[in-house]
Amino acid sequence: MDNKPLEGLLVLEFSQFMAGPTAGLRLADLGARVVKIERPGAGEGGRQIAIKNIFVDESSLVFHTINRNKESYATNLKDENDLENIRKLIRQADVMTHNFRPGVMEKIGLDYESVRKINPKMIYATVTGYGNEGPWAKKPGQDLLVQSLSGLSWLSGCAQDGPVPFGLAVVDMYCATHLTQGILAALLKRARTQQGALVEVSLLESVLDMQFEMLTTHVNDGRKLPQRSTVRGAGHAYLSAPYGLYKTLDGYLALAMGNVAHIAETIGLSREPYQDASTWFSRRDEILQEFAKVLCQKTTCEWISRLETEGIWCGVVNDYHRFFEEQGFKESGMLQELTLQDGTQLTTTRSVYQIDGKRLYADKPAPKVGQHTASIVHDYLEN
Amino acid sequence: MLPLAGYTVIDFSQFLSGPLASLRLADLGARVIKIEKPETGDICRQLYTSDTILNGTSTVFHAINRNKESIVLDLKSESDKQIIHDLIARADVVLHNFRPGVMERLGFDYAGVREINPTVIYGEISGYGKEGPWVKRPGQDLLLQSLTGMTWLSGDANNGPVAMGLSVVDMFAGSNLCSAVLACLYRRAMQGIGAHVHVSMLDSAVDIQFEAVTTYFRDGKLLPQRSEVSNAHAYLAAPYGVYRTQDGFLALAMGSIPFLSKLLNCKSLEGFADGEQAFRERDNIKAILAEHLTTAGTGHWLEILEAADIWCADVLDWRRLTEHNAFKILDMLQQVTMGDGFRYETTRCPIRIDGERLTATKGSPKLGEHTAKILEELYG
């Protein structure tokens, strides 16, 4: 796409691992030039953090997923000459992000107050685990730990389970959206005031925001704790029947919110016991069980055609094999191919934003450590 | 001054995804005007969770729609359409999450709106894109989770599909829309041009899974395998997971197995190595750990593990969390006041700018609360 919204902006990414670099990827896909500031040799810590122990072209597959469409500048932040160059880069950059623990940037003189003196228009954005103060300030800001501390793990699964974490780094990712929004809002303000800004987000505040609907319910319902259903497959601790996933003859069926009496009738039960809407929550578990007994008797496809005719919100429960074969997925164009520096082909996702009728693709692979040092020296430091 | 001070957002959206985007824009300083249909308004007003009603409306609506105004307009009435036209003419952002085709029929699709206001940022959320075989399906969170394979990532291997217990797809779709709108507002500030932004829930659901999706295609298209014990991530080796202790639970995010064996004095773990074995035999390793960790309380284990810099944490519920100083110090809750004086407690915006928390005191609007005021502004 021509004229991407952030074309011309320079972002220095001191961030490592997931939340900060995911925000960096968003900014890159929106058109910014994103340069990872990495230590020579090992580079960003995330290069060594693998899932399923999968490495390609010397870095973890996860690193390649999060860091495509970026450049890398290798530098030793403990070396005064290197720091002088970093300060020169900072003078010309628009945004910088980091997720060092409190105190690290102060020590090397790149904290916000110092950077503001070098470049008063800088948008300086930080990610912490739990904020800069308080009893958890020094705890590791890691996705599963934040899920566990925030109450999130009591929302999925059923009552007889212990805590059930979300099986994705959902806090890191949500925090990345907040970081992106904070940076963009600050850039917008800068366009009017010519002033830089400090943007701060934390994993803990992000996961609390993620629960904002339920937390608002909690603080206004006498502080009751979430009551997960005892029926396996139930989909939401705070929603009434029939919300959940049901076993069928050949798989599973998802039923979202709907008129329980109407659904009962559609699947061959009597309407009568389900007429009173106020019982859809109080009798949630019974209704789920009564529906489960019927729904396991036919195939998913049979149920869906019957339910859809009645306008009832339902759907299939796919695994990846089935989902990626679906025509609807293929037409989304959500995948793109990258060729890594060593020639390896990778299939990954594109940017989630569509702007001016176009999908945003960017097939530039993640950089090697220091791959762009020379061109960045040429573009910003030789003057 | 808040970053979006002076901007106006006209929001046609309902439920969670679109209204979440406009909530963020409101907290960043924009004036958000909800266009609601007569009598019922945003359907979310009646979407009760755990049967909790607050001042006549669902708590969910109060959480999502604070800091906004409400005008009641009938999209089918010609005179009301003229009012919408006049609102759009003065707006910076227009948002909706109707199914594809609805705004086209009303004449308020991007082409129509651009004729009224050429530099407007028009943002829309669809369920499954603007075309394709699924275009008419309901864009509902659980259905998207189920369709996209997401329900096979949480819970233990034998649990069947497990939904994530909140509307994650809606939330990411709304957040993504907000980011893209902000990026285009920036471009408008620099270049004076409008934009058409579109985010689908389908793309957002795939995007949340981008690590897993990329791994699937690299890994010979093997399906994600959840562990049988204490699953927390289908693709991570032991000990990653949450374990029961004598008096509660413990989350363990990493740790070398031989080291943990010594540190926790767990003899049965001797002989297990890190790396490939910790992944391949994670069910065994985690079962041994699970049994061992029930022999003492969470506090006991935390003390040992934290001293050795192992990444671990207690597992809290909201009661213990909200009583904890680490929560209190965030000031994450705020009191807001509705037009009729009713006050309620809810969360604030999670972003801080220049060291300030972004708080807002205005509660959610009653249906049509601002109709007269807005008409007065338009037509004096």
Side-chain angles (χ1 to χ4, degrees), chain B residues 63-81:
Chain B
I64 307 169
N65 294 287
R66 61 175 178 78
N67 210 6
K68 303 180 187 175
E69 299 175 26
S70 165
I71 179 171
V72 166
L73 292 168
D74 181 357
L75 297 177
K76 288 173 191 143
S77 138
E78 282 311 313
S79 56
D80 281 6
K81 279 172 82 171

Side-chain angles (χ1 to χ4, degrees), chain A residues 3 26 52 139 148 156 167 181 189 192 198 200 205 213 216-217 220 318 320-321 348 350 354 356, chain B residues 3 5 24 59-60 146 154 165 187 191 196 198 203 209 214 216 219 221 235 316 346 348 352 354:
Chain A
N3 198 7
R26 306 278 179 256
K52 226 178 161 183
K139 250 188 192 305
S148 302
S156 309
Q181 291 162 0
K189 184 176 171 185
R192 294 198 277 178
L198 172 66
E200 295 169 287
E205 284 162 289
E213 289 182 279
T216 299
T217 304
N220 290 289
N318 278 329
Y320 280 173
H321 289 332
T348 188
R350 64 161 159 82
Q354 298 182 37
D356 296 338
Chain B
R24 190 84 71 231
T59 47
V60 172
S146 303
S154 308
R187 185 177 70 174
Q191 301 181 23
H196 179 196
H198 167 221
D203 292 359
Q209 301 176 79
T214 307
Y216 173 83
D219 197 20
K221 299 194 178 179
Y235 291 101
L316 304 183
T346 185
R348 64 164 167 84
R352 301 187 198 200
D354 292 334

Side-chain angles (χ1 to χ4, degrees), chain B residues 43-274:
Chain B
I43 299 166
C44 199
R45 287 181 178 273
Q46 314 305 328
L47 186 69
Y48 301 116
T49 58
S50 77
D51 289 345
T52 309
I53 301 177
L54 210 58
N55 203 17
T57 306
S58 87
T59 47
V60 172
F61 180 85
H62 286 303
I64 307 169
N65 294 287
R66 61 175 178 78
N67 210 6
K68 303 180 187 175
E69 299 175 26
S70 165
I71 179 171
V72 166
L73 292 168
D74 181 357
L75 297 177
K76 288 173 191 143
S77 138
E78 282 311 313
S79 56
D80 281 6
K81 279 172 82 171
Q82 182 58 44
I83 297 169
I84 290 171
H85 178 285
D86 296 344
L87 279 171
I88 287 172
R90 301 174 183 210
D92 300 281
V93 176
V94 172
L95 301 178
H96 82 82
N97 61 356
F98 291 118
R99 288 193 208 181
V102 173
M103 280 304 229
E104 283 76 3
R105 280 196 296 278
L106 291 168
F108 295 123
D109 57 337
Y110 181 55
V113 166
R114 196 165 61 167
E115 278 188 29
I116 304 169
N117 182 345
T119 62
V120 81
I121 309 299
Y122 185 91
E124 58 182 316
I125 296 180
S126 69
Y128 307 85
K130 306 269 287 172
E131 48 192 24
W134 295 336
V135 74
K136 291 201 171 130
R137 284 204 189 171
Q140 193 281 330
D141 192 87
L142 182 66
L143 305 186
L144 263 303
Q145 288 195 39
S146 303
L147 178 74
T148 61
M150 203 186 289
T151 59
W152 298 101
L153 298 175
S154 308
D156 292 343
N158 301 322
N159 288 355
V162 175
M164 300 197 182
L166 50 76
S167 305
V168 271
V169 183
D170 273 320
M171 301 203 66
F172 275 91
S175 272
N176 290 330
L177 183 74
C178 176
S179 298
V181 163
L182 287 168
C184 290
L185 279 172
Y186 174 74
R187 185 177 70 174
R188 190 180 78 155
M190 305 306 290
Q191 301 181 23
I193 57 172
H196 179 196
V197 173
H198 167 221
V199 168
S200 81
M201 291 178 71
L202 176 67
D203 292 359
S204 296
V206 175
D207 182 59
I208 314 172
Q209 301 176 79
F210 75 145
E211 280 188 277
V213 170
T214 307
T215 303
Y216 173 83
F217 285 106
R218 175 65 194 168
D219 197 20
K221 299 194 178 179
L222 294 178
L223 289 176
Q225 294 290 323
R226 297 171 294 181
S227 62
E228 286 174 17
V229 184
S230 296
N231 178 67
H233 195 299
Y235 291 101
L236 289 178
Y240 201 84
V242 174
Y243 297 86
R244 193 180 286 277
T245 66
Q246 203 172 63
D247 59 356
F249 295 89
L250 174 76
L252 256 181
M254 62 124 209
S256 149
I257 303 300
F259 184 60
L260 283 175
S261 161
K262 277 198 207 107
L263 194 64
L264 303 172
N265 194 19
C266 178
K267 299 240 182 315
S268 322
L269 272 189
E270 283 173 13
F272 288 100
D274 295 324

Side-chain angles (χ1 to χ4, degrees), chain A residues 76-77 79-87 108 110:
Chain A
N76 179 0
L77 294 176
D79 179 288
E80 188 42 43
N81 287 335
D82 281 13
L83 265 179
E84 184 50 36
N85 282 331
I86 287 293
R87 285 191 286 265
I108 54 178
L110 295 180

